[in-house]
Amino acid sequence: MVTYADRINSLPPYLFAAIDKARAESIKKGVDVINLSIGDPDLPTPPHIVEAMKKSLDNPARHRYPSYEGMLSFRKAAAQWYKKTMNVDLDPENEVLTLIGSKEGIAHIPLAFLNPGDTSLVPSPGYPVYNIGSILADGKPYMMPLLAENDFLPDLDAIPAHIAKIAKLMFINYPNNPTSAIASIKFFEEVVDFANENGIIVIHDNAYSEMTFDGYKAPSFLNVSGAKDVGIEVHSLSKTYNMTGWRLGFAVGNSDILAGLGKVKSNVDSGAFEAVQEAGIAALLGPQDCVRETNLVYRERRDALLAGLKSLGLPVKPPKATFYVWAHVNGSSSEFAKMLLEKAGIVATPGVGFGESGEGYVRFALTQSVDRINEAVERMRKLDI
Ligand SMILES: *Cc1c(COP(=O)(O)O)cnc(C)c1O
């Protein structure tokens, strides 16, 4: 008889595991399942990045324990990339920290800044790790609803003053998963003011900064003056360079906040494989045509799905960023997703899986070809939705 710790027992039920199980059952029954639920690029890592890893593998120096904070050459590449893409100046020595994927960093941050019972501000719907990382640190997540009428930005004025006063951490993420919403510099300025007034550390997750369309350029949180005094930005090579399996990301910004995260990490992990970091350098400093080409693919898929949804009476405003389409549906999102799978062999993610305020929406990920997306739309046309 195994007894789990309270923090494990208090985790919310993992809805995605249930979806995976239902999907596996459908496939077993012979259903030709179209999976529009996963936020994992179906396109391969660009060849020049793969080649860099192959070359690095032959160097025995790369086979040893990496440094905790990451290779200086990788951190320099990240700083150079930040200057070029975001126009943000960073000191690679103490304002860049290598992560084993950004999820790792996000999950460990609350351990550095929350004492048991401390409050973190977490978007709902949101990437589940903000909430779960806080719970694993025995913290108390306070949900900030992301609502359509606020363009899926948290309403900072709606956070009760007594909560704002005790909150230690705030997580934000724009371009946003799952809503695909974007944020303006003005919103980031409001966040910096709010953080200063209340003594809150801000973690901005910018995983989708490069996955943008129609000429839109996503800002960095660090573009706002004073942002580096209150926060950090977390970045990932996963979506930008189709490198989800490689596990490489980095955090940038306030050196004291990064030092706190680094302290947790140096006691938990032993850094990212140096051959992976060298591939990361090739990604960050190499030709960027691959990013533009990938975005063209997603834009074509986005347009195919939006045209289809519109023809079904489910209009969605074209997202300017991310590979997600956040569609409003009638009734329960779980029931809707269940119906899609059972009656049409389509897997989509019910919005409620990202938090209570995601109810009423379904997330479609553009990680299938245009042909498969069109096929999904035709299957939906036969349903009563
Ligand atoms: C995919 C994703 C990440 C992920 O990344 P890794 O670097 O692969 O751990 C982080 N944040 C959001 C919002 C994501 O959607």
Side-chain angles (χ1 to χ4, degrees), residues 108-344:
H108 282 140
I109 282 164
L111 288 175
F113 301 105
L114 299 185
N115 286 318
D118 277 351
T119 297
S120 64
L121 302 174
V122 169
S124 168
Y127 184 56
V129 188
Y130 314 135
N131 178 30
I132 290 180
S134 301
I135 295 173
L136 290 177
D138 296 327
K140 258 172 71 182
Y142 177 87
M143 295 299 162
M144 304 183 291
L146 307 186
L147 307 175
E149 63 253 39
N150 299 325
D151 298 321
F152 300 108
L153 298 168
D155 179 356
L156 303 178
D157 295 332
I159 300 169
H162 70 279
I163 296 289
K165 278 287 164 238
I166 60 169
K168 297 278 172 67
L169 279 180
M170 175 188 225
F171 290 96
I172 49 174
N173 162 226
Y174 295 95
N176 184 259
N177 173 13
T179 68
S180 76
I182 55 174
S184 63
I185 285 285
K186 188 173 152 283
F187 170 73
F188 287 153
E189 285 168 352
E190 288 165 14
V191 170
V192 169
D193 288 346
F194 182 83
N196 272 321
E197 274 160 35
N198 296 291
I200 293 171
I201 290 172
V202 178
I203 314 297
H204 180 236
D205 180 354
N206 212 351
Y208 295 95
S209 67
E210 305 313 299
M211 197 187 275
T212 60
F213 318 113
D214 310 331
Y216 173 69
K217 167 92 185 74
S220 165
F221 176 65
L222 301 176
N223 287 138
V224 172
S225 85
K228 215 191 259 180
D229 299 330
V230 298
I232 62 170
E233 189 155 84
V234 179
H235 233 286
S236 170
L237 280 78
S238 288
K239 315 292 163 53
T240 308
Y241 301 105
N242 304 328
M243 290 177 74
T244 45
W246 299 63
R247 311 314 301 135
L248 188 61
F250 54 95
V252 298
N254 186 285
S255 57
D256 293 331
I257 300 173
L258 293 179
L261 172 58
K263 193 142 203 174
V264 174
K265 282 176 57 56
S266 62
N267 285 289
V268 173
D269 65 63
S270 297
F273 184 19
E274 289 193 344
V276 169
Q277 293 187 64
E278 291 207 312
I281 294 171
L284 294 170
L285 301 186
Q288 301 297 302
D289 319 325
C290 53
V291 179
R292 283 186 286 277
E293 284 158 19
T294 300
N295 286 344
L296 288 177
V297 170
Y298 292 135
R299 194 188 61 183
E300 196 188 355
R301 294 173 178 180
R302 175 199 72 174
D303 292 344
L305 182 59
L306 290 188
L309 290 176
K310 192 172 172 199
S311 75
L312 299 173
L314 290 175
V316 181
K317 260 200 280 177
K320 286 195 166 62
T322 78
F323 54 5
Y324 303 115
V325 167
W326 185 242
H328 182 62
V329 297
N330 290 324
S332 142
S333 61
S334 299
E335 288 302 314
F336 188 90
K338 195 163 160 237
M339 185 268 298
L340 278 187
L341 180 58
E342 285 173 359
K343 300 213 171 119

